[in-house]
Amino acid sequence: MFLVLTGGMAYLFVYQGSVRPAADGRTAIVLEPGERALILAEMRAFVESVQQITTGLSQEDMETVVEAARKSGRAAQQQVPVPLMGKLPLAFKQLGLDTHQQFDQLALDAEQLGDPAHSLQQLGRLMQNCVACHAAYRLEVQ
């Protein structure tokens, strides 16, 4: 019985999260107001980095590209409280982690290669994560 209960809790915490179907066909992640604000702040930081990267690329200013990409890399990940992590579905967590990693790779390649065309391709792939996430999920308050 203990193993079944533990397994069920692990499934909810790691895989499913606190979700429900949303009226618009996406998956609603149900959060407390402060938890929602934390995630939205991280998403706004992504948008700010993308804007700065785009500007840097348009001016062939690879130093700006590197700095902007690093701002949203893994080192910039906020400490997500354990209760909040349990509310996030696994696919959402994976998209977030991959997005941070792609910002890091973009920064590294921009620094080492200095090729705006390559960085622009990387930015395009990175933005696919943003589009996929916003197409699949919405954040709702309990």
Side-chain angles (χ1 to χ4, degrees):
M1 178 66 171
F2 176 74
L3 289 176
V4 171
L5 181 60
T6 303
M9 290 181 71
Y11 171 79
L12 289 175
F13 184 81
V14 174
Y15 183 75
Q16 182 180 351
S18 177
V19 298
R20 65 177 173 228
D24 62 5
R26 295 183 288 170
T27 299
I29 302 172
V30 183
L31 305 168
E32 297 293 328
E35 295 169 332
R36 183 175 183 272
L38 180 78
I39 292 173
L40 290 176
E42 185 172 14
M43 289 180 186
R44 283 190 300 275
F46 286 166
V47 172
E48 184 178 320
S49 288
V50 168
Q51 184 277 320
Q52 292 170 356
I53 290 166
T54 304
T55 298
L57 290 173
S58 73
Q59 298 170 356
E60 295 189 12
D61 178 358
M62 298 309 284
E63 187 174 313
T64 294
V65 173
V66 171
E67 290 174 15
R70 282 210 175 108
K71 287 180 188 176
S72 289
R74 290 196 64 195
Q77 280 180 287
Q78 298 179 12
Q79 287 287 31
V80 179
V82 173
L84 173 54
M85 284 299 289
K87 292 180 181 181
L88 304 175
L90 181 60
F92 183 89
K93 290 182 258 199
Q94 289 171 327
L95 271 172
L97 179 60
D98 185 59
T99 301
H100 285 290
Q101 290 172 332
Q102 286 193 49
F103 272 113
D104 279 339
Q105 190 63 53
L106 195 157
L108 182 64
D109 288 356
E111 188 173 53
Q112 292 180 349
L113 303 176
D115 181 359
H118 179 76
S119 295
L120 186 58
Q121 288 175 343
Q122 288 177 300
L123 183 61
R125 283 192 303 274
L126 188 154
M127 291 299 300
Q128 290 174 352
N129 278 7
C130 300
V131 171
C133 185
H134 285 269
Y137 299 103
R138 61 181 291 140
L139 303 177
E140 294 184 358
V141 177
Q142 287 184 332

